[in-house]
Amino acid sequence: MSTSRRTLLAATAGGLAAAGMATAAPAHAAGGRPAREFFGRLADGTRVDRWTLANGGTRMAVLSYGGIVQSLELPDRRGRYANVSLGFGTLEEYVASSPYFGALIGRYGNRIAAGRFTLDGQSYQLPLNDGPNTLHGGTQGFDKRVWDVEPFTAGSDVGLTLRYVSGDGEMGYPGALSVRVDYTLTRDGDWRIDYTATTTKATVVNLTSHVYYNLAGEGSGGVYDHELTLDAARYTPVDATLIPTGELAPVAGTPFDFRRGKAIGADIRDSHQQLLYGQGIDHNFVLDKGSTRLPERVATVREPRSGRSMSIATTEPGLQFYSGNFLDGSFAGTSDRVYRQGDGFCLETQHFPDSPNHPSFPSTVLRPGDTYRTTTVHSFG
């Protein structure tokens, strides 16, 4: 954390409740063991908890249901806090019809064409939940599972370890997949996600996080004035059902060129066919760095009014940028304000959509004896 941010936090520690956060202001400036509270019960009686953790000026609330980040609270340039993550106030709302607000996504993030793929000569059929395709794992993906959660402290870092075992054949995927995801808040207020998984049979895996961000504050309106820089000279065009065609197309000369930075909404109303397919941007970007062993920075977002910013570093080769196109006024969030088109955006680090059906894409196959590992780090300013 910068010296100026530490000074700002200290100077404003007594008045942080004004932004709708808990009144225990000192928790924002220093880490402590994560706290658990009851959040609700599913129809079958399963208990769902909410965990609150804070460190380095960042505070999060995480649900055991879906690994959902219910809130992410950050200061603006004047030290005033706001929740910058879209979401609901009750478990019932998440269960009823959430568009993946804040959730952990698996077993396969993004889309698989017709819900079908072939692996080692065996064909597999997944449930269809996005028109003719499978989206984010199927009708009962990891976003709808209750995870085992354990808090931890590691030096000056605090966090949560989430575990889930997806049985052989769950949602049609082969192999029993044992998943561990660590959410860590560092002493500098960074949010790090470490994903690991092992399997009993060859399978496909693509895990990601589906937080909808609005750095001006949840429920504050549109995000089209947020300035995005994205290190990607290519992207994967899609067909009318948002399945990649297999082409890696250049962003140069298109609305998809964010290499030098521009407002999210600068070209959102362009007549480009890809924007018409997605009703905005809902596309995978091919990161210039490719897959890496350690996280490298690939994107930065700045919100001009509040001064808040977020940068993302990842080991993944792709990033799905979604400009909130399908928010249509059907949901009211934790602020009780309705979410409309463009009121939030997602930056989902990932392997490419429909990779099992595109041999030229980076492989998402995981085999017994191997370990799936990816890391993404969000840094806030």
Side-chain angles (χ1 to χ4, degrees):
M1 185 193 304
S2 67
T3 301
S4 60
R5 187 174 176 192
R6 290 186 190 279
T7 303
L8 192 60
L9 289 168
T12 58
L16 301 180
M21 50 174 284
T23 56
H28 287 279
R33 190 165 180 83
R36 181 177 71 171
E37 61 181 330
F38 175 77
F39 190 67
R41 291 192 187 276
L42 299 177
D44 65 1
T46 301
R47 172 181 170 132
V48 173
D49 292 322
R50 174 167 56 194
W51 291 84
T52 302
L53 57 162
N55 207 9
T58 300
R59 181 176 171 130
M60 298 176 67
V62 177
L63 307 183
S64 57
Y65 178 78
I68 289 169
V69 176
Q70 188 203 21
S71 66
L72 176 64
E73 298 172 18
L74 304 172
D76 67 7
R77 60 166 59 93
R78 297 181 181 178
R80 297 174 300 188
Y81 273 77
N83 171 26
V84 301
S85 171
L86 276 58
F88 296 125
T90 68
L91 177 61
E92 290 75 16
E93 290 171 294
Y94 283 108
V95 172
S97 58
S98 174
Y100 307 100
F101 284 145
L104 273 177
I105 301 298
R107 178 176 305 196
Y108 196 95
N110 221 303
R111 296 174 174 85
I112 294 180
R116 291 195 298 267
F117 66 92
T118 299
L119 179 58
D120 295 339
Q122 176 69 42
S123 295
Y124 297 93
Q125 179 64 58
L126 316 174
L128 306 181
N129 64 331
D130 185 54
N133 306 313
T134 297
L135 176 65
H136 294 331
T139 52
Q140 294 290 318
F142 290 178
D143 60 294
K144 297 177 179 64
R145 306 295 181 177
V146 176
W147 294 66
D148 293 328
V149 182
E150 297 177 5
F152 68 84
T153 57
S156 56
D157 298 341
V158 300
L160 302 171
T161 295
L162 299 94
R163 289 186 173 90
Y164 176 70
V165 178
S166 174
D168 185 8
E170 182 176 287
M171 291 290 100
Y173 295 92
L177 189 75
S178 298
V179 183
R180 170 177 172 164
V181 180
D182 290 330
Y183 286 172
T184 303
L185 285 185
T186 73
R187 68 185 299 271
D188 291 327
D190 295 347
W191 173 32
R192 177 184 176 114
I193 313 175
D194 292 288
Y195 306 86
T196 61
T198 58
T199 184
T200 60
K201 297 179 182 177
T203 192
V204 294
V205 186
N206 191 25
L207 306 180
T208 191
S209 171
H210 207 293
V211 174
Y212 287 69
Y213 296 98
N214 185 328
L215 297 183
E218 177 271 338
S220 65
V223 298
Y224 289 163
D225 61 344
H226 287 51
E227 298 164 357
L228 171 65
T229 303
L230 185 53
D231 296 336
R234 296 178 296 171
Y235 76 109
T236 53
V238 296
D239 64 18
T241 70
L242 302 183
I243 293 294
T245 63
E247 179 186 7
L248 305 183
V251 301
T254 78
F256 299 90
D257 192 350
F258 289 89
R259 291 173 295 173
R260 295 186 178 181
K262 66 179 179 181
I264 288 174
D267 301 311
I268 205 78
R269 301 304 180 200
D270 191 275
S271 60
H272 195 288
Q273 182 62 61
Q274 288 295 308
L275 293 178
L276 299 180
Y277 282 153
Q279 298 182 35
I281 300 175
D282 189 10
H283 292 72
N284 171 68
F285 286 74
V286 180
L287 299 175
D288 293 342
K289 70 173 188 65
S291 295
T292 50
R293 187 176 64 86
L294 298 175
E296 295 184 15
R297 190 169 70 177
V298 296
T300 301
V301 188
R302 294 181 175 86
E303 200 286 306
R305 291 173 293 165
S306 68
R308 294 187 185 94
S309 66
M310 175 177 69
S311 65
I312 294 179
T314 188
T315 59
E316 290 278 43
L319 183 149
Q320 185 84 7
F321 172 35
Y322 171 54
S323 56
N325 320 320
F326 302 113
L327 297 174
D328 60 3
S330 299
F331 307 112
T334 51
S335 62
D336 290 328
R337 294 173 181 151
V338 169
Y339 297 147
R340 296 182 172 84
Q341 186 179 56
D343 280 358
F345 67 91
C346 302
L347 294 171
E348 305 156 63
T349 56
Q350 61 178 13
H351 274 54
F352 302 173
D354 201 34
S355 289
N357 296 310
H358 293 276
S360 62
F361 286 1
S363 176
T364 55
V365 174
L366 177 67
R367 297 187 180 279
D370 295 335
T371 300
Y372 172 98
R373 299 182 190 275
T374 72
T375 297
T376 295
V377 181
H378 305 76
S379 300
F380 308 106

